Amino acid sequence: MSMTLEPKSKITSKPVVVSAEAEALSHSSTTMKLIPSYELFQILPEEEGGVAPEKTAGNFVRDPNSSKIGMVDEFDDLSLYDYKGVGGNKKIEQFPDPFKMVDKELQPFSDSIKELVSTDQPVLSMAAKHFFDKRQGKRFRPTIVQLVAKAVACVEPVNIEVPLNGEHHAGKNGGMSDWEYSGQSSVKVNSENHKGSEVWRRQAQLGQIVEMIHVASLIHDDVLDEADTRRGGEAVHKLYSNKVAVLAGDYLLARASVLLARLENTAVVQIMATALESLVAGEIMQLKSPAKSLLEMETYLRKSYYKTASLIAYACRSTALLGGHSYGSNVATAMEEFGFHLGLAYQLQDDILDFTAAANVLGKPALADMDLGLSTAPILYAAQEFPELRPLVMRRFKEKGDKEIALETLYKSDTAMDKARNLAKFHAQRAIDALLRLPQSNSRDALVRLTHAVITRKK
């Protein structure tokens, strides 16, 4: 049966990691006051109540043409819906392969990352290097960072003088704050001298840092979730113990923090430290969200932002800063917007595959989210169509038979899976739209193909 949706109430579930008072005490007039990406960029399509956020610090400059003046772009109005796997007939293979493009460049950094996490404690060292030794996965995040680094090198940074009298806008509801004109690396590069430069090295090191943070979060997640497998192999805590796994994750985060400081860019340190805070916020949100908020699509997407998209979004913006672009620049803003939408598209596809792919393909147990009491997009859309599913969602499938009923209801729905796929496509297209604010280059076009791969992958 179908239903008429009630007007959306304001989302109440928002993780509080640091109180507003403590946060205010930690700021000065020059420190970055970062706003979560979901308050900068649209999180839901208009037909589902989504609205474009107001202009504020972090999204003020979003010019589709200023970085491409006088340049030809054959894909200026590109729509993913025209390509195979998303609804059209065009072949995505006309774009460069993103992984092949940077594989050789990433190899030395992939090899050295194992050395960067070495320690004199054998057990801790083995646990920390577990994922890196196996070379599992396609190094998704370092690949994104490397491609973004190449793409932003094709745009000459805009130098903006900050007035000493502080006449720039204060930021909220009307313009950019002084700190938004800062943050960029003092070393400037272009597409000709980028590779092998100090900027290139620091951006590649950021890719290593992002991978360390990501792996640490996986190790900690598996302990919290009591998972047995990860990426097709045994979880670290199953190979060793919970204590060793927690310490290994902590050690990776500590090493990542040291390497982050060595990038010698205070703004990037602040941004990536906020990414760390976001990961914790996501776990808190997952554990402590009020029952009623579990039915809200926006709550689910915010949690997905904190747990998955925030690290990608902040890494993309940081890469632009290391490449010489200021925080509030058109380029840096486009890169965070790209990372935000790509990260959400990735998580949505993951959640769809949880219901459609076998465990041996996914590399993790199928229906893992429901086992943890979590409702993802397919279930939430089914609950909009079948009200009897809502109490099960709100009690996190704790009663006997809840999961089986939820699955039967989902598979009974004619629209839930399609709506979830359409939401993933919405975010993938928004990621493409952000990319298209950069001039055409092989690296930018490779990111287009990567975005297509995110929502058409089967594992």
Side-chain angles (χ1 to χ4, degrees), residues 179-413:
W179 60 263
E180 290 183 78
Y181 292 96
S182 65
Q184 71 269 38
S185 165
S186 59
V187 181
K188 303 296 189 290
V189 293
N190 55 47
S191 56
E192 300 299 320
N193 63 9
H194 176 245
K195 186 175 179 181
S197 67
E198 180 63 16
V199 167
W200 175 83
R201 186 195 66 78
R202 290 185 181 189
Q203 289 168 324
Q205 189 160 30
L206 177 64
Q208 290 179 314
I209 291 164
V210 170
E211 188 70 358
M212 285 183 192
I213 293 171
H214 172 59
V215 168
S217 73
L218 296 184
I219 294 172
H220 283 164
D221 275 2
D222 288 343
V223 174
L224 288 172
D225 300 344
E226 299 179 356
D228 293 332
T229 59
R230 170 67 70 174
R231 292 181 175 176
E234 275 197 281
V236 171
H237 70 99
K238 285 292 179 182
L239 287 171
Y240 303 98
S241 67
N242 279 355
K243 287 182 180 179
V244 169
V246 170
L247 283 172
D250 290 347
Y251 175 68
L252 282 175
L253 292 176
R255 285 298 293 154
S257 299
V258 170
L259 295 171
L260 186 58
R262 289 178 186 162
L263 294 177
E264 298 180 314
N265 185 307
T266 307
V268 169
V269 171
Q270 289 186 63
I271 293 168
M272 295 308 297
T274 304
L276 277 173
E277 185 179 64
S278 296
L279 293 173
V280 178
E283 284 297 332
I284 292 172
M285 197 172 182
Q286 186 164 296
L287 290 169
K288 297 295 184 182
S289 291
K292 216 169 184 184
S293 74
L294 298 177
L295 293 167
E296 297 271 11
M297 187 63 68
E298 199 164 338
T299 295
Y300 154 75
L301 287 171
R302 286 187 179 192
K303 183 206 73 176
S304 298
Y305 161 73
Y306 281 117
K307 289 198 60 157
T308 303
S310 61
L311 182 58
I312 298 172
Y314 285 139
C316 288
R317 192 158 208 155
S318 295
T319 303
L321 266 64
L322 290 173
H325 301 275
S326 63
Y327 175 87
S329 66
N330 192 49
V331 169
T333 301
M335 289 303 89
E336 181 176 339
E337 187 169 359
F338 163 69
F340 167 70
H341 289 296
L342 181 74
L344 287 180
Y346 185 94
Q347 187 58 56
L348 281 158
Q349 184 67 10
D350 240 22
D351 294 339
I352 291 165
L353 289 173
D354 199 37
F355 293 100
T356 60
N360 62 335
V361 175
L362 280 179
K364 64 179 183 178
L367 305 181
D369 290 319
M370 286 183 70
D371 286 338
L372 296 170
L374 305 177
S375 296
T376 55
I379 290 291
L380 293 177
Y381 281 124
Q384 289 178 7
E385 188 178 352
F386 298 98
E388 62 269 26
L389 191 50
R390 296 177 194 175
L392 284 65
V393 170
M394 291 172 66
R395 64 176 179 247
R396 296 176 181 262
F397 312 111
K398 284 183 178 176
E399 293 187 9
K400 188 176 181 181
D402 277 358
K403 284 184 287 186
E404 290 75 14
I405 293 170
L407 272 177
E408 288 173 12
T409 307
L410 172 61
Y411 295 135
K412 189 166 59 175
S413 170

